[in-house]
Amino acid sequence: MKAKREPFLTWAMVSLTMTTGMVEAVSFLALGPVFTAVQTGTMLLLSFAVAGIAAFSIAPCLASLAGFTVGAVLSARFESWSQVRGRRWFREALIAEALVLAGAAAVAWQIEQGRGSLTGRHYVVAGLVALAMGIRNVSTLRAAVPGMPTTVTTRAFAALIGGSPLAVDTRIAQDSRNQVRRASSVAAMFMGGLVGAWLLHDARVDVAVVLLIVAGLVLAVALSFTFVPRETISELG
């Protein structure tokens, strides 16, 4: 059973990791600079802003932290409730995330890009996107797919190096399956950031459209779980 679920879950997590890169491209390049999925980055940017560094602002960081907190709380409560009732909690959480991202896109329609021109709408969008990423972080934490958290790549990158012939760390799994997962996670984050930055900077695509693309991708991943037998991914409901 485990062998059956792995290819599908790997594909799903790689897709979600790529959307994280796209989301952070929007967040950093158009809404801040701020991060909405990687709250480590937001904490650091907030500390820089509090220190008085002119390039950084407190408001978008607080909006991100607040949205993320609300999303994580609601997600944890809803997914626990859903799992107890035997529902497909992971799929439902992804659908909720996609809907919040679509809402963020509606607020962001024709919003002005660029630093130094932030408005209340920028903060609302940052908060909504962070709320969606709060949902995402709890969902993938509960899913616990090894080596594929979908919102950070530092540990995956470190494990990729530590499990390689360069290091041969005996406490890090070195089998090819885990290494493929780690490499896929790192590559997906890079590609997501690259695609997001290209859409915003070179193709001049509206922020709202990029968020709608991300919402569509997340929704597609969610709906794909409908066509997978429950017993194949029983841990995810």
Side-chain angles (χ1 to χ4, degrees), residues 5-234:
R5 69 189 285 267
E6 284 186 352
F8 173 77
L9 286 181
T10 298
W11 168 84
M13 295 301 169
V14 167
S15 300
L16 292 174
T17 303
M18 182 172 174
T19 63
T20 298
M22 296 177 68
V23 160
E24 294 296 40
V26 170
S27 303
F28 195 85
L29 298 176
L31 302 178
V34 69
F35 294 99
T36 51
V38 185
Q39 290 300 316
T40 300
T42 300
M43 288 292 186
L44 289 172
L45 294 179
L46 178 61
S47 70
F48 301 157
V50 171
I53 308 301
F56 305 101
S57 176
I58 293 175
C61 295
L62 292 180
S64 177
L65 288 169
F68 188 92
T69 300
V70 172
V73 169
L74 294 178
S75 182
R77 292 178 67 87
F78 170 76
E79 290 173 40
S80 298
W81 175 88
S82 184
Q83 184 174 13
V84 167
R85 286 157 179 75
R87 301 169 65 92
R88 291 198 169 191
W89 59 267
F90 190 68
R91 180 187 64 183
E92 293 177 350
L94 290 178
I95 292 173
E97 177 191 327
L99 291 175
V100 174
L101 287 169
V107 177
W109 186 253
Q110 294 187 335
I111 200 170
E112 185 178 347
Q113 296 184 37
R115 303 175 187 182
S117 58
L118 299 180
T119 66
R121 273 212 300 160
H122 288 83
Y123 306 145
V124 172
V125 175
L128 287 173
V129 175
L131 193 155
M133 292 300 101
I135 296 173
R136 163 79 66 82
N137 272 270
V138 169
S139 303
T140 53
L141 182 65
R142 297 181 89 247
V145 179
M148 307 197 81
T150 81
T151 54
V152 292
T153 59
T154 303
R155 290 180 66 86
F157 190 38
L160 179 64
I161 296 170
S164 73
L166 294 173
V168 195
D169 190 324
T170 57
R171 293 181 65 88
I172 298 177
Q174 300 173 36
D175 58 284
S176 59
R177 181 182 63 196
N178 280 301
Q179 287 294 80
V180 167
R181 276 181 171 176
R182 295 160 184 161
S184 299
S185 180
V186 174
M189 185 69 78
F190 174 81
M191 287 303 300
L194 183 65
V195 170
W198 179 81
L199 288 172
L200 291 169
H201 186 265
D202 295 321
R204 303 292 182 183
V205 174
D206 192 271
V207 171
V209 175
V210 178
L211 288 175
L212 281 176
I213 292 172
V214 175
L217 291 173
V218 173
L219 184 61
V221 174
L223 295 180
S224 70
F225 279 82
T226 303
F227 305 102
V228 179
R230 292 181 69 106
E231 60 272 17
T232 303
I233 50 170
S234 58

